[in-house]
Amino acid sequence: KRIQTIIETNSRELQDDFKIYWNKSSIGRLVSSKDYLNPNIELLVDDILEQNQRQKLISFLEKWVKNKIDTILKSLIDLKDLKEKNSSIKALAYQLYEKNGVLKRAQVSEYLKKLGQNERKILRDLGVKFGRYHVFLYRLIKPDAVSLRTLLWKNYHQKYFNLKPPTFGLNFIDNDKIKNKNFMLLCGFEKFDNFYVRIDILERLFMQIINSNSEKKNEIKMIPEMLNLLGCNKDNFKKLLKNMDYKIIEKENEVFF
């Protein structure tokens, strides 16, 4: 009767200790498999449970977890299942999938040279954003997608358990104690020395820089909107610009780069 109730009610949740809870009681947990997007499920139940009932519950939980992954990480699943004959599109899609939806642009510059606008459109329709610094699936930067991806990533590797995604809502982090830049990139943050900047915000900053330089001058004026976008102070912004290979020029109490 309880198994039937678990199946029929919606009070199930997957928490960051890899366990599946029903009404605050753990009933199962994720275990590592060959594919990080398809974890195995192990039941946390009494041995007295009959085999057919045990199978009924495990099948249900597998289906429930798969549906959760397919829904929240849809753009990553679509990329994995892409039926495309063009080798450049396939290669880039595979790389993006392997890197959990975030690639540094420099790593795939050769693939990008081979992609025309039509090919790019196929990938854009799947949610791929071709940015100045990164090629990424922008829907995967949302909080629920970051939480689920990092959970599955830790379950797959069976390590990094103490790593937590940054507080959601932060665009800029100044922290020299964060050591795992691969995990941070998985969370959608690029490293610049001790700073981490969210990759979609980095693109918006770059667009601000381009738009504020409509006259194609060599010097671009630092404006408050740039600091507001990142949520950092002026000194940190100047350090960030230097890390991004800009030169800083200060004149008449104003900053140009």
Side-chain angles (χ1 to χ4, degrees), residues 159-252:
K159 54 182 178 178
Y160 311 118
F161 298 127
N162 60 331
L163 298 179
K164 299 263 188 298
T167 305
F168 295 116
L170 288 178
N171 298 335
F172 180 92
I173 299 167
D174 177 9
N175 189 337
D176 60 358
K177 292 186 175 57
I178 300 174
K179 298 297 180 212
N180 197 318
K181 64 180 184 182
N182 291 332
F183 178 75
M184 290 299 285
L185 194 58
L186 188 69
C187 298
F189 282 81
E190 182 56 81
K191 186 179 195 300
F192 295 92
D193 199 18
N194 290 338
F195 300 145
Y196 288 88
V197 184
R198 229 174 76 173
I199 57 175
D200 52 338
I201 298 299
L202 203 56
E203 294 308 329
R204 284 170 58 186
L205 173 65
F206 191 67
M207 292 314 295
Q208 266 191 0
I209 290 170
I210 290 172
N211 293 336
S212 67
N213 191 27
S214 53
E215 293 162 23
K216 301 283 186 285
K217 294 175 182 172
N218 284 337
E219 292 176 7
I220 299 153
K221 185 179 172 184
M222 185 195 290
I223 53 174
E225 286 81 359
M226 293 173 185
L227 304 184
N228 295 342
L229 177 65
L230 268 78
C232 70
N233 62 37
K234 196 172 176 180
D235 284 344
N236 279 349
F237 189 71
K238 287 188 324 199
K239 287 177 194 169
L240 176 66
L241 287 173
K242 283 179 183 171
N243 280 320
M244 290 164 72
D245 294 329
Y246 288 102
K247 289 187 175 68
I248 307 288
I249 306 134
E250 300 198 37
K251 50 189 178 186
E252 295 163 15

Side-chain angles (χ1 to χ4, degrees), residues 7-246:
I7 289 170
E8 288 170 0
T9 55
N10 266 335
S11 45
R12 294 172 303 278
E13 54 180 344
L14 175 61
Q15 293 191 5
D16 56 11
D17 59 359
F18 309 102
K19 290 179 182 173
I20 299 164
Y21 287 82
W22 173 75
N23 279 351
K24 299 193 168 64
S25 301
S26 57
I27 56 170
R29 68 171 161 227
L30 304 185
V31 287
S32 187
S33 70
K34 288 178 183 173
D35 179 356
Y36 97 106
L37 283 180
N38 284 305
N40 291 326
I41 309 288
E42 183 178 278
L43 292 185
L44 301 173
V45 293
D46 276 346
D47 292 336
I48 57 167
L49 196 64
E50 289 176 12
Q51 185 56 35
N52 64 334
Q53 292 296 328
R54 184 181 285 271
Q55 194 52 50
K56 182 180 180 181
L57 181 57
I58 211 160
S59 297
F60 172 76
L61 291 178
E62 282 173 350
K63 196 172 171 185
W64 178 73
V65 169
K66 185 180 186 308
N67 183 56
K68 190 178 187 69
I69 293 169
D70 288 352
T71 304
I72 296 175
L73 305 181
K74 184 179 185 302
S75 52
L76 198 57
I77 303 292
D78 288 348
L79 206 62
K80 182 189 179 189
D81 297 339
L82 180 64
K83 303 283 184 281
E84 180 57 55
K85 291 187 173 68
N86 183 301
S87 59
S88 296
I89 294 178
K90 269 178 79 170
L92 189 62
Y94 178 75
Q95 288 258 27
L96 255 179
Y97 172 72
E98 282 287 290
K99 295 289 184 183
N100 310 299
V102 185
L103 279 170
K104 292 196 181 196
R105 192 178 174 116
Q107 292 173 330
V108 288
S109 56
E110 290 305 310
Y111 296 112
L112 296 179
K113 285 174 190 169
K114 296 173 188 168
L115 289 184
Q117 285 308 314
N118 289 340
E119 285 95 346
R120 287 180 185 231
K121 186 181 184 304
I122 290 168
L123 290 166
R124 278 198 188 98
D125 289 345
L126 290 172
V128 177
K129 191 169 180 65
F130 295 91
R132 169 76 173 75
Y133 294 98
H134 301 88
V135 178
F136 62 101
L137 290 165
Y138 67 89
R139 293 186 192 99
L140 296 188
I141 310 297
K142 292 179 178 176
D144 56 350
V146 170
S147 296
L148 184 55
R149 274 191 310 136
T150 51
L151 179 72
L152 294 172
W153 186 75
K154 288 189 276 189
N155 177 64
Y156 175 73
H157 289 289
Q158 284 299 300
K159 54 182 178 178
Y160 311 118
F161 298 127
N162 60 331
L163 298 179
K164 299 263 188 298
T167 305
F168 295 116
L170 288 178
N171 298 335
F172 180 92
I173 299 167
D174 177 9
N175 189 337
D176 60 358
K177 292 186 175 57
I178 300 174
K179 298 297 180 212
N180 197 318
K181 64 180 184 182
N182 291 332
F183 178 75
M184 290 299 285
L185 194 58
L186 188 69
C187 298
F189 282 81
E190 182 56 81
K191 186 179 195 300
F192 295 92
D193 199 18
N194 290 338
F195 300 145
Y196 288 88
V197 184
R198 229 174 76 173
I199 57 175
D200 52 338
I201 298 299
L202 203 56
E203 294 308 329
R204 284 170 58 186
L205 173 65
F206 191 67
M207 292 314 295
Q208 266 191 0
I209 290 170
I210 290 172
N211 293 336
S212 67
N213 191 27
S214 53
E215 293 162 23
K216 301 283 186 285
K217 294 175 182 172
N218 284 337
E219 292 176 7
I220 299 153
K221 185 179 172 184
M222 185 195 290
I223 53 174
E225 286 81 359
M226 293 173 185
L227 304 184
N228 295 342
L229 177 65
L230 268 78
C232 70
N233 62 37
K234 196 172 176 180
D235 284 344
N236 279 349
F237 189 71
K238 287 188 324 199
K239 287 177 194 169
L240 176 66
L241 287 173
K242 283 179 183 171
N243 280 320
M244 290 164 72
D245 294 329
Y246 288 102

